[in-house]
């Protein structure tokens, strides 16, 4: 079946430009996560959506980062005024509603390069 | 912060059992132990999870100590394709607000 998909797979942008990264979770999954992984590092939690609840934004590194999830499905992570330190792989994951299972299914990621 | 402690790296000979340890001394009664792995340039992949009993599936076995303060992931016959970073995570399945936090994991090298 269809897994988590992310687009674009690669994004190269210039410093100061805005970027939007898209995540399509598995159909029926109510929880959606965004992570960031810099080269050679572990995963860094960014934001978590669960159903209609207010998102947990505690991992967002600055106010240049924002995310939304429309209709409880597709999510967009936006980075404004990108900086070189934003270069990383951005991973999205989805899972069934907590209480059923917390197994997260990850997408292939978007590799962001800020020049 | 991650609630688990893992060695940064390990080596294992191909065909041997790979035993990856994880300490989670502050684990709560309602928290499960999850293992994921991340092969180079791919997203993390779920392996196995357990609460207090040992678990086995087609990928691996999970051994949890009786006091639940540590666990071991066992890959019974490691192959070169098992070279990856392995993450041990604790999470409360029943807690809607408990997000999974990944630490730095263990980089496992399978040696030919």
């Amino acid at each position: 079946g269809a897994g988590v998909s992310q687009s674009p797979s690669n994004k190269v942008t210039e410093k100061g430009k805005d970027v939007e990264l898209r995540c399509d979770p598995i159909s029926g999954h109510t929880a959606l996560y965004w992570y960031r992984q810099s080269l050679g590092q572990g995963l860094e939690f960014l934001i978590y959506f669960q159903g209609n609840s207010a998102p947990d934004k505690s991992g967002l590194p600055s106010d240049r980062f924002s995310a939304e999830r429309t209709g409880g499905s597709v999510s967009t992570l936006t980075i404004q005024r990108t900086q070189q330190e934003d270069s990383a792989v951005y991973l999205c994951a989805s899972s069934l509603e907590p209480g059923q299972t917390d197994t997260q299914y990850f997408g292939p990621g978007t590799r962001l390069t800020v020049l | 912060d991650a609630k688990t402690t893992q060695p940064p790296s390990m080596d294992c000979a191909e065909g041997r059992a790979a035993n990856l340890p994880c300490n989670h001394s502050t684990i709560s009664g309602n928290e499960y132990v999850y293992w994921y792995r991340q092969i180079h340039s791919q997203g993390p992949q779920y392996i196995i999870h357990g609460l207090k009993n040992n678990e086995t599936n087609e990928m691996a076995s999970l051994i949890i100590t009786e006091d639940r303060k540590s666990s071991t992931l066992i890959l019974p016959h490691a192959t070169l394709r098992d070279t990856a970073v392995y993450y041990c995570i604790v999470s409360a399945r029943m807690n809607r607000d408990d997000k999974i936090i990944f630490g730095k994991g263990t980089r496992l090298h399978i040696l030919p």
Side-chain angles (χ1 to χ4, degrees):
Chain A
V4 177
S5 61
Q6 293 185 245
S7 61
S9 56
N10 281 283
K11 177 71 176 179
V12 180
T13 190
E14 293 179 348
K15 178 181 174 181
K17 294 288 182 66
D18 298 351
V19 296
E20 285 190 352
L21 311 179
R22 177 186 169 106
C23 172
D24 284 85
I26 293 173
S27 177
H29 281 194
T30 61
L32 187 147
Y33 307 76
W34 281 99
Y35 297 87
R36 175 169 75 171
Q37 188 171 34
S38 300
L39 187 63
Q41 301 297 310
L43 276 72
E44 175 188 3
F45 166 79
L46 296 177
I47 189 169
Y48 163 55
F49 294 90
Q50 172 51 48
N52 296 321
S53 302
D56 178 348
K57 303 179 182 180
S58 60
L60 294 179
S62 77
D63 59 7
R64 296 187 295 105
F65 288 72
S66 63
E68 62 178 22
R69 188 178 185 193
T70 54
S73 179
V74 172
S75 177
T76 302
L77 177 70
T78 301
I79 308 173
Q80 296 177 309
R81 306 180 302 282
T82 53
Q83 303 295 313
Q84 288 184 332
E85 60 263 29
D86 298 335
S87 295
V89 175
Y90 288 81
L91 290 158
C92 174
S94 70
S95 69
L96 287 171
E97 178 178 354
Q100 307 288 326
T101 173
D102 269 339
T103 300
Q104 294 186 28
Y105 298 86
F106 284 80
T110 294
R111 181 175 298 278
L112 175 66
T113 303
V114 182
L115 302 176
Chain B
D1 292 332
K3 302 176 185 177
T4 62
T5 304
Q6 299 176 253
S9 66
M10 291 182 62
D11 292 338
C12 178
E14 187 178 16
R16 296 294 188 100
N19 297 281
L20 293 91
C22 179
N23 287 324
H24 31 79
S25 58
T26 60
I27 192 171
S28 301
N30 64 340
E31 288 182 317
Y32 286 68
V33 180
Y34 286 78
W35 283 84
Y36 287 77
R37 74 178 182 185
Q38 187 174 24
I39 296 171
H40 182 61
S41 298
Q42 298 182 23
Q45 173 193 26
Y46 166 81
I47 301 173
I48 198 167
H49 75 279
L51 183 61
K52 56 183 179 181
N53 296 323
N54 298 337
E55 301 288 343
T56 296
N57 62 20
E58 65 278 5
M59 291 182 68
S61 295
L62 174 61
I63 308 299
I64 303 173
T65 57
E66 190 169 345
D67 63 8
R68 304 211 319 124
K69 293 185 177 182
S70 65
S71 61
T72 301
L73 179 74
I74 301 173
L75 307 178
H77 305 287
T79 71
L80 296 177
R81 289 176 297 179
D82 292 323
T83 292
V85 178
Y86 287 77
Y87 296 98
C88 170
I89 298 149
V90 296
S91 175
R93 293 173 68 182
M94 302 304 294
N95 186 344
R96 285 175 172 266
D97 297 326
D98 191 29
K99 55 188 179 287
I100 291 181
I101 301 296
F102 285 73
K104 295 194 173 171
T106 295
R107 188 171 296 276
L108 176 66
H109 298 277
I110 304 302
L111 307 175

